[in-house]
Amino acid sequence: MIAPPSEKTAAVLTTVLRGCAEHVAQRADLPAILEASRQRDTTGLLRFLTGSVSHHQAEAVRLEREARSALPARKAAEAAWRTAARWLAASPHPVLLLVLADRTGSLTQEIRGLRWLAPAYVQAAAEHRERAHRAQAEVDSLVSQQRRRPRDRRPSLVGAA
């Protein structure tokens, strides 16, 4: 784990970055640099964002499927626990006590884990859907910007002041 910088280091870095930003903001050719950068990077950025949308949508679908399968698994574990409890009441046995005890590998532990699993999967799926939505909004914005830009005028850094 990386430790955060000291206050003195953070202050120095902040001052340096502000100075760099002010210097770049004062350049007369900044609009040309930004436009050239946008045109060169848009294709790669669109490819990355489109892949990101697909990835997050696929993850959301997978997590939703896991959430749906967690509920029947929990119900089956609870039914098995009730059955073991009935057997224990009818005929006490140490193995049944181990199955029902609150210890690693027991039905009780499995049920406890399955109770939070489905909601956790649903939450994670919602987060992936939100990431996919944000990435798609970026894609739509970039495509819209490309349509508005004239295609025949390509900014060049050569000859810029």
Side-chain angles (χ1 to χ4, degrees):
M1 187 163 120
I2 298 174
S6 67
E7 287 183 33
K8 185 176 180 182
T9 303
V12 168
L13 288 173
T14 302
T15 302
V16 169
L17 289 174
R18 281 190 182 133
C20 291
E22 288 170 6
H23 173 74
V24 169
Q26 293 174 2
R27 289 184 60 140
D29 61 345
L30 180 62
I33 292 171
L34 291 175
E35 183 64 21
S37 174
R38 269 190 223 102
Q39 286 191 359
R40 285 188 196 104
D41 294 342
T42 300
T43 304
L45 186 55
L46 280 171
R47 191 172 33 255
F48 169 78
L49 288 171
T50 302
S52 180
V53 169
S54 299
H55 166 74
H56 288 300
Q57 287 174 340
E59 273 300 295
V61 167
R62 183 188 68 78
L63 289 165
E64 288 165 349
R65 188 173 42 248
E66 293 287 339
R68 283 191 302 275
S69 70
L71 182 62
R74 188 188 87 207
K75 287 184 178 186
E78 288 171 346
W81 190 93
R82 284 190 299 277
T83 300
R86 280 194 303 273
W87 289 349
L88 181 66
S91 176
H93 194 278
V95 173
L96 290 173
L97 285 174
L98 289 175
V99 168
L100 297 172
D102 189 7
R103 61 178 205 73
T104 304
S106 69
L107 280 173
T108 303
Q109 286 289 322
E110 184 178 344
I111 292 167
R112 183 173 289 132
L114 288 171
R115 281 192 177 147
W116 64 264
L117 192 60
Y121 280 142
V122 168
Q123 176 64 32
E127 290 170 5
H128 277 283
R129 291 249 181 246
E130 177 59 28
R131 289 181 193 136
H133 177 72
R134 284 196 310 264
Q136 186 61 53
E138 286 294 323
V139 167
D140 295 343
S141 173
L142 285 171
V143 169
S144 173
Q145 289 174 26
Q146 279 186 325
R147 286 188 195 129
R148 286 193 302 248
R149 240 183 266 140
R151 293 281 184 194
D152 56 336
R153 191 183 134 265
R154 296 274 182 196
S156 174
L157 297 179
V158 178

